[in-house]
Every structure is written in structure tokens, then in C-alpha cells.
């Protein structure tokens, strides 16, 4: 970069072209990548733990998101640096595989990179540092295996599961209702769990949010929730033990799939067409009624 002056003495800056810019190499490139990753880690560090602070994120459309969940925060952030994006993918993988610890895994990665930078300054090769981390990981896993205990539970004794769920909810915004939320979570998982194969199909559990109301009004529905309103004000507001008829086709006269044109030249022809449509509707209503359904 250089500075020159025009004929009036006004300075202006001349920048190098994109192709001629200096490129970082060696230790400087490694430290630059570590700095980018640590910047992401430092953002999440203050939201870790039960006393962690929530983050407020505003996107380009003005939509506000408040959360202390690491995966949510990183997903809403517009991270462009490729190395920093690795931490975003790390948090998303933790969320998909485990469902918890999304903040802690990023903070841990940032702490390891911080120590790696000190080792780089002492002249250690990055490959040796990576091998050291692998050996430390093996020792840590073995230590956890040695000090761990087996917690027995079954469908009748769900206290260990409830305590675990309450612990994970301590740092969330719903911690005020964590007892009820923990019971709902454990009951939902046990309802779809396959104890024989030790597997849980989370696709069978759906969460729906509704505006209004309070968090304490959350409830677990064992079945199917169909979000539909009654189409007429004179219909009953509540139907107990309903026999439901679910239609996969429109409740109207069929329409031809090809282009068509119908010319009506007289009142009699219009009345005939109207009567035919009414007969079709009447037949559809009779079929629903004869099936024994009282809710369509």
C-alpha cells in the first residue's frame, strides 16, 4: 500500500491488486487460523454453564433470537472464515449425535487451540502437537471408563433419567419449569424407545410451538395432533371419543385434468348443473355419515 497526492495536494491510497496481495505462510498462517477459531470460542465462553449469559442475535431481516445454546448461536451467526466454520460444524455434529454439550465442545476446542499456540511458539511441529492431543484423548477416555459407574433404570424406575434431564435443563431458559419438562421428555422417550435393541427413534417425537400461553402449559400428547379449526360456528367446540374420517382428496366435485370449456345457454342448463353438484356433495356427505365418523 502506498500514498500519493494529486495536483491539489489531496492524498489518496493505492492498494495492490487482489492477485498481488501477500499470502500468509508457515507459522503465521497457523496462528491466523487459530485466532479465527478462538474468536468463535470466546463468543460462546460466557454462555457456558448454569450461570452462563444468553446471547441476542439479530439477522438481516430484523428477527431476534435469544439463546445460550451453542449450536443455535453458531447456526445464526454468519461465519465466513473456513477454519472458524469447522467449529460451527463441530457444534452441529455434537447436537445431532448427543443433543447436549454444544457450547462446551466449542469452548474445549478453543482451549486446546490456545495451548497449541503456546507449543507452536516453543518450536513444536503441528503434527507432534496433534499426536500429543490424540494420546491425551486416549488417556482421558480410559480414565473416564475407570471412574464411571453404571446407572440402572427401567420403565418403572425412571429417577436416574429424570435427574439427568433436569441437569441438562439447568442452563436453559425453561429451567423454571425443568421438573415438568424433564418428566415430559423422559415420558416421550420411553414411549418410543426400543429397549430390546437399545435404540430411540427421535423421528417419532414431534415438538410444536404455539404463540401465546405460558411454558408451564406445555403438555405431552400420546397420539396425533391435527391443527384444524371447526369450519362453522354452530359446530360443537369439543368432541369426545371422536371417530375421525381423514380425507386425502378435496371435498368438492372432481375437476377434469385436461382443459375444458362449458357453455351454459339457458337457466335450465344452469339449474341442472347446480343440481348435479349438489347431488355429488350429498353423496359424499352420506358416505362419510354411513362410515360412522362424526369428525371429518
Amino acid at each position: 500500500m502506498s500514498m500519493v497526492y494529486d495536483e491539489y495536494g489531496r492524498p489518496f491510497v493505492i492498494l495492490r491488486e487482489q492477485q498481488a496481495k501477500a499470502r500468509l505462510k508457515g507459522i503465521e498462517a497457523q496462528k491466523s487460523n487459530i485466532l479465527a477459531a478462538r474468536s468463535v470460542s470466546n463468543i460462546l465462553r460466557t454462555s457456558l454453564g448454569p450461570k452462563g449469559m444468553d446471547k441476542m442475535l439479530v439477522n438481516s431481516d430484523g428477527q431476534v433470537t435469544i439463546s445460550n445454546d451453542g449450536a443455535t448461536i453458531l447456526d445464526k451467526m454468519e461465519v465466513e472464515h473456513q477454519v472458524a466454520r469447522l467449529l460451527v460444524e463441530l457444534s452441529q455434529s455434537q447436537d445431532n449425535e448427543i443433543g447436549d454439550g454444544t457450547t462446551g465442545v466449542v469452548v474445549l476446542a478453543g482451549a486446546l487451540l490456545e495451548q497449541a499456540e503456546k507449543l507452536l511458539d516453543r518450536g513444536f511441529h503441528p503434527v507432534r502437537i496433534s499426536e500429543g492431543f490424540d494420546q491425551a484423548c486416549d488417556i482421558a477416555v480410559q480414565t473416564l471408563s475407570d471412574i464411571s459407574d453404571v446407572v440402572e433404570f427401567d420403565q418403572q424406575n425412571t429417577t436416574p433419567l429424570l435427574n439427568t434431564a433436569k441437569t441438562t435443563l439447568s442452563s436453559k431458559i425453561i429451567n423454571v419449569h425443568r421438573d415438568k419438562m424433564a418428566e415430559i421428555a423422559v415420558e416421550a422417550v420411553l414411549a418410543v424407545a426400543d429397549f430390546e435393541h437399545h435404540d430411540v427413534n427421535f423421528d417419532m417425537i414431534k415438538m410444536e410451538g404455539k404463540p401465546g400461553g405460558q411454558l408451564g402449559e406445555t403438555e405431552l400428547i400420546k397420539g396425533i395432533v391435527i391443527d384444524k379449526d371447526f369450519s362453522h360456528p354452530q359446530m360443537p367446540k369439543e368432541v369426545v371419543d371422536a371417530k375421525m374420517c381423514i380425507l386425502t382428496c378435496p371435498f368438492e366435485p372432481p375437476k377434469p385434468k385436461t382443459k375444458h370449456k362449458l357453455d351454459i345457454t339457458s337457466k335450465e342448463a344452469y339449474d341442472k348443473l347446480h343440481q348435479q353438484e349438489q347431488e355429488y356433495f350429498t353423496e359424499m356427505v352420506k358416505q362419510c355419515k354411513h362410515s360412522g365418523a362424526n369428525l371429518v
Side-chain angles (χ1 to χ4, degrees):
M1 183 178 68
S2 60
M3 182 176 292
V4 296
Y5 298 88
D6 60 10
E7 64 271 18
Y8 300 104
R10 294 175 298 192
F12 59 90
V13 179
I14 299 177
L15 297 175
R16 296 179 183 175
E17 293 189 7
Q18 187 71 22
Q19 294 82 0
K21 283 187 177 181
R23 183 178 181 182
L24 294 178
K25 297 180 181 179
I27 189 69
E28 294 299 328
Q30 295 166 1
K31 287 189 175 183
S32 175
N33 292 334
I34 291 176
L35 178 61
R38 285 182 57 193
S39 300
V40 176
S41 175
N42 291 334
I43 293 175
L44 296 185
R45 183 170 294 179
T46 55
S47 63
L48 180 66
K51 294 185 179 181
M53 296 178 290
D54 292 349
K55 304 293 184 184
M56 177 183 293
L57 300 100
V58 183
N59 62 7
S60 57
D61 297 330
Q63 184 179 1
V64 179
T65 302
I66 301 177
S67 175
N68 68 347
D69 179 64
T72 303
I73 295 173
L74 293 178
D75 182 58
K76 298 294 183 181
M77 290 173 55
E78 296 180 359
V79 181
E80 296 182 357
H81 197 282
Q82 296 303 317
V83 176
R85 285 205 59 81
L86 290 177
L87 291 186
V88 178
E89 296 174 1
L90 172 66
S91 179
Q92 292 174 348
S93 300
Q94 178 78 6
D95 190 25
N96 295 333
E97 294 295 328
I98 307 300
D100 192 34
T102 55
T103 304
V105 69
V106 176
V107 173
L108 177 60
L112 292 176
L113 289 174
E114 183 178 355
Q115 298 303 316
E117 187 175 8
K118 296 179 181 179
L119 295 176
L120 286 174
D121 293 336
R122 294 174 59 181
F124 283 86
H125 195 276
V127 175
R128 302 296 297 171
I129 298 175
S130 177
E131 292 176 352
F133 282 160
D134 287 337
Q135 295 179 12
C137 179
D138 295 337
I139 296 174
V141 171
Q142 183 61 40
T143 303
L144 288 175
S145 178
D146 295 338
I147 66 176
S148 62
D149 294 328
V150 178
V151 180
E152 300 290 344
F153 70 92
D154 51 38
Q155 290 179 294
Q156 285 71 35
N157 180 25
T158 60
T159 303
L161 295 179
L162 287 173
N163 293 335
T164 303
K166 291 177 184 178
T167 302
T168 60
L169 295 175
S170 297
S171 62
K172 306 301 179 184
I173 196 172
I174 59 174
N175 58 354
V176 179
H177 305 282
R178 64 177 181 177
D179 292 339
K180 181 177 180 179
M181 296 300 178
E183 293 177 1
I184 291 177
V186 171
E187 190 175 351
V189 170
L190 292 178
V192 300
D194 185 355
F195 289 93
E196 182 179 353
H197 298 89
H198 299 88
D199 187 30
V200 178
N201 185 5
F202 289 104
D203 292 335
M204 299 179 65
I205 302 176
K206 303 295 183 183
M207 291 186 294
E208 292 290 339
K210 288 293 180 182
Q214 301 177 356
L215 289 174
E217 297 176 357
T218 305
E219 58 180 321
L220 175 65
I221 305 296
K222 293 184 178 180
I224 301 175
V225 176
I226 300 177
D227 189 9
K228 295 291 183 182
D229 296 327
F230 288 102
S231 58
H232 197 278
Q234 293 183 356
M235 291 182 176
K237 300 299 181 184
E238 183 178 356
V239 179
V240 182
D241 296 332
K243 295 181 179 180
M244 189 179 301
C245 174
I246 299 179
L247 301 178
T248 58
C249 58
F251 204 78
E252 60 184 18
K255 297 179 181 179
K257 297 181 180 180
T258 58
K259 292 184 178 180
H260 63 283
K261 181 179 180 182
L262 181 63
D263 293 329
I264 300 177
T265 57
S266 63
K267 179 179 179 299
E268 290 76 11
Y270 179 82
D271 292 339
K272 184 178 180 180
L273 176 63
H274 178 71
Q275 182 181 0
Q276 190 173 358
E277 288 187 350
Q278 294 301 315
E279 291 176 355
Y280 186 85
F281 275 119
T282 304
E283 181 65 24
M284 293 179 68
V285 173
K286 287 182 179 180
Q287 291 178 357
C288 294
K289 184 177 180 180
H290 292 163
S291 67
N294 58 358
L295 184 63
V296 179

